[in-house]
Amino acid sequence: EDKVVQSPLSLVVHEGDTVTLNCSYEVTNFRSLLWYKQEKKAPTFLFMLTSSGIEKKSGRLSSILDKKELFSILNITATQTGDSAVYLCAGKETSGSRLTFGEGTQLTVNP
Amino acid sequence: NAGVMQNPRHLVRRRGQEARLRCSPMKGHSHVYWYRQLPEEGLKFMVYLQKENIIDESGMPKERFSAEFPKEGPSILRIQQVVRGDSAAYFCASSPDIAKNIQYFGAGTRLSVL
């Protein structure tokens, strides 16, 4: 059975800190790894990673995938209170359509 | 371009009643996915549909649950004879085609069973 594990499960930081969120996966016929941000509404798409070692960047957020070690990290620099959310990682296999999600990391950024 | 629309946002049912959850995908998207999020758990895949076809329902409970995506109108997730354990957030996602992989989510329907 496919499995995605995220760590830490929760994290509390102060504004301006840099955080690293971890995601390890065991997905049969792995194709891509996706990151979402979930506030009290729809999970919002952040990144999709397919190739190993290529960093994707969007503002203060960046992410990279290691297909040899089967993990991905999401970095957030200079955190702001608006970054407070649950960050979800999901793996997708080549065939089929389902996303296998981890439990998420609850990030709280205090002023 | 409106996002994925789900309604209702909140639904309260008594045990034994039926729950109908609706999902309108993003414009131009013909692939719909349903996920369930139980309290303190991650999102779990339930079913994947294209117009008029169920492609993968391997995550759907065998009894009481059904899904459809008719040619016209929204996708419907139907839960018959609800029980307390069905209380959860049900999210719908859509994508333009399977190759692109990116699924865009709606805000979810929170089902509470009394």
Side-chain angles (χ1 to χ4, degrees), chain A residues 1-3 8 17 25-27 32 36 39 51 53-54 56 59 61 67 69 71 79 86 90 92 95 97 101 104:
Chain A
E1 185 179 319
D2 294 346
K3 190 177 175 183
D17 288 350
Y25 63 90
E26 295 174 24
V27 175
S32 54
Y36 289 85
E39 296 166 277
S51 301
I54 299 175
K56 290 221 172 177
L61 276 66
K67 290 170 79 170
E69 300 297 330
F71 79 88
T79 51
V86 175
K92 189 188 178 305
S95 60
S97 54
F101 281 89

Side-chain angles (χ1 to χ4, degrees), chain B residues 33-47:
Chain B
Y33 317 80
W34 285 93
Y35 293 81
R36 177 164 66 174
Q37 188 172 36
L38 293 167
E40 309 302 324
E41 292 188 18
L43 288 155
K44 296 278 195 278
F45 169 81
M46 298 181 75
V47 63

Side-chain angles (χ1 to χ4, degrees), chain A residues 40-52:
Chain A
K40 290 182 180 176
K41 46 184 180 178
T44 307
F45 171 76
L46 294 175
F47 297 109
M48 182 176 72
L49 303 146
T50 306
S51 301
S52 208

Side-chain angles (χ1 to χ4, degrees), chain A:
Chain A
E1 185 179 319
D2 294 346
K3 190 177 175 183
V4 174
V5 177
Q6 292 186 244
S7 66
L9 292 182
S10 67
L11 189 56
V12 180
V13 299
H14 291 290
E15 269 192 316
D17 288 350
T18 293
V19 298
T20 298
L21 310 183
N22 303 296
C23 173
S24 64
Y25 63 90
E26 295 174 24
V27 175
T28 308
N29 299 319
F30 173 82
R31 181 187 175 112
S32 54
L33 192 291
L34 291 85
W35 284 95
Y36 289 85
K37 177 183 181 182
Q38 185 179 23
E39 296 166 277
K40 290 182 180 176
K41 46 184 180 178
T44 307
F45 171 76
L46 294 175
F47 297 109
M48 182 176 72
L49 303 146
T50 306
S51 301
S52 208
I54 299 175
E55 184 183 53
K56 290 221 172 177
K57 213 168 158 56
S58 176
R60 296 176 294 102
L61 276 66
S62 63
S63 184
I64 196 160
L65 176 67
D66 185 327
K67 290 170 79 170
K68 184 179 176 186
E69 300 297 330
L70 307 183
F71 79 88
S72 173
I73 59 171
L74 175 68
N75 279 319
I76 309 175
T77 59
T79 51
Q80 302 171 357
T81 55
D83 295 327
S84 296
V86 175
Y87 289 83
L88 300 169
C89 165
K92 189 188 178 305
E93 56 183 36
T94 302
S95 60
S97 54
R98 66 171 61 197
L99 294 178
T100 300
F101 281 89
E103 287 186 42
T105 293
Q106 171 74 63
L107 174 66
T108 302
V109 181
N110 290 324

